[in-house]
Amino acid sequence: MEQKFSVLIYINDKSSFEWLNRALDSVLANTVRPSEIIAVVCGVKSPQIQLILDKAKTNTDLRVLSYPVDYGRAFALQTALSKSSCELVALQDGNSISSSHRFEKQLAYFKGHPDIAVLGTCFQEIDEKSLVPVGDHIVPLAHRKIKKFLKQQCPFQHGTVMFKKQAVLEAGNYQPFPFLLEDYYLWVRVIGKGYKTANLPDILVAMPKDPAMRWVCSAWLFFQANKKLHDVMREYKLISVFSYYGKVMSCFIKYLLIPDWLRKIFHTETWIFN
């Protein structure tokens, strides 16, 4: 008997109904279907999105939690996780496409590796209009390498992850964090608690390539967010004192000393995987 699992998906007023339709269709087309899908809909008034959700309800156990205001992804996923009934939980982006074997492969890995609490996969970027692949993203696979990579970048792409509910709850669940870094913040705490993680080498999720670089208006606020992440890493002893001050100094130079025009020429924000 296949292990039960939940799928969580956050939908807001910026969600594309075309991509949401693709996302839900990809979940329903999987060789192993979820026991439940929990969609948290925040501040959405589009009738097209409602039609897509109504269609999905006829094909699976879809529960919709609706809120008139968009309280953010951290609130949405925190709420959805508290309502989920399964120990294994998969995340699905509203603008990504899961391969038909994604859940089957992740469930098989969990079965063969009971010590793993968080499992992501490699992923592919595709052209938003033609859906033609434009690039593959290979992430660190083993926990040792993930833990090392964590010091530099978020080691998991949001829409590829399946995790054990208890591990995330014990780490404090999703919590708000500046600049959409809730995932990064969560995985730092989960790994800091001693939980083991992994990524599959398979490319099991596709998503549109973002043509715009993710620059923020306030370099000072972005520096503070990075520093806070490293504060948490230091709190959990994931980095040494020497590394901590080195990372903080590096961020200070990168975001506060180098002019924006120069940084945009020579640097791309590849470390934000959310």
Side-chain angles (χ1 to χ4, degrees), residues 149-160:
F149 193 80
L150 185 79
K151 301 173 186 179
Q152 304 289 340
Q153 302 179 184
C154 182
F156 303 103
Q157 169 62 28
H158 175 82
T160 72

Side-chain angles (χ1 to χ4, degrees), residues 150-180:
L150 185 79
K151 301 173 186 179
Q152 304 289 340
Q153 302 179 184
C154 182
F156 303 103
Q157 169 62 28
H158 175 82
T160 72
V161 174
M162 182 180 283
F163 59 80
K164 291 179 179 177
K165 178 179 178 179
Q166 189 58 38
V168 169
L169 291 180
E170 287 183 3
N173 205 338
Y174 267 92
Q175 296 178 20
F177 203 89
F179 307 115
L180 301 178

Side-chain angles (χ1 to χ4, degrees), residues 16 28 30 40 63 66 69 71 134 151 158 175 178 196 204 210 214 247 266:
S16 160
L28 298 176
N30 255 257
V40 183
R63 294 157 59 192
S66 296
V69 178
Y71 295 108
V134 295
K151 301 173 186 179
H158 175 82
Q175 296 178 20
K196 297 293 188 294
L204 298 178
D210 185 356
R214 298 180 60 177
K247 300 295 183 187
F266 293 106

Side-chain angles (χ1 to χ4, degrees), residues 29-69:
N30 255 257
T31 52
V32 180
R33 282 197 176 189
S35 307
E36 62 182 3
I37 303 173
I38 303 178
V40 183
V41 182
C42 296
V44 175
K45 298 179 181 178
S46 168
Q48 292 168 310
I49 287 181
Q50 188 57 53
L51 287 173
I52 291 169
L53 293 173
D54 289 342
K55 183 187 77 170
K57 282 181 181 178
T58 65
N59 293 313
T60 191
D61 184 8
L62 172 67
R63 294 157 59 192
V64 178
L65 308 176
S66 296
Y67 297 90
V69 178

